[in-house]
Amino acid sequence: MPKSTHASVKSRHGDLTVQQHETDSPIIPVHQIEQLHQFRPDRVDWIFEQTQAEAEYRRTETHRVNTFVFIERLIGQICALLIGLSGIGGGVYTAVNGQPEAGGTIAGLAITGLAAVFLTGRAKKSDNGNQ
């Protein structure tokens, strides 16, 4: 994501303006390529080849990271399902063996705990998305 900074000061003696632009793009600005072409025209093609290689590498890394994020989320969902089923199963087992209040409490706490974790996780994701 490019970042831009702009500052200006006005006084009775004149104006001063400073601008700065940062980007994580792998290609250098056109005016710098033109300057490079003036004293080393053979290196301009090399710059474009390296830029293309960097872009291909970034695409493969992004795909790989997205695959790992998907696997991580899938494993998290499966673990949450196992925790929920274990809590409900333990509550049912306890209720069937003569302690219905304890069984209801165990199952209710398991479901409430999972709901709290999911809702807290969604709130954190939405807070990070607004920054």
Side-chain angles (χ1 to χ4, degrees), residues 30-48:
V30 174
H31 69 279
Q32 291 180 0
I33 293 174
E34 290 172 348
Q35 290 174 350
L36 178 63
H37 183 67
Q38 290 175 0
F39 69 92
R40 288 292 303 266
D42 58 319
R43 300 306 283 173
V44 173
D45 290 334
W46 181 81
I47 293 289
F48 285 114

Side-chain angles (χ1 to χ4, degrees), residues 22-84:
E22 293 180 27
T23 183
D24 62 349
S25 174
I27 190 165
I28 60 177
V30 174
H31 69 279
Q32 291 180 0
I33 293 174
E34 290 172 348
Q35 290 174 350
L36 178 63
H37 183 67
Q38 290 175 0
F39 69 92
R40 288 292 303 266
D42 58 319
R43 300 306 283 173
V44 173
D45 290 334
W46 181 81
I47 293 289
F48 285 114
E49 290 169 3
Q50 294 302 310
T51 301
Q52 183 177 3
E54 173 69 19
E56 290 170 0
Y57 174 76
R58 285 182 179 214
R59 285 186 201 105
T60 58
E61 282 298 304
T62 300
H63 178 70
R64 187 173 73 92
V65 168
N66 287 342
T67 302
F68 286 142
V69 168
F70 173 74
I71 291 170
E72 177 187 12
R73 290 181 181 170
L74 185 63
I75 290 172
Q77 293 290 321
I78 291 169
C79 289
L81 176 67
L82 291 175
I83 290 170

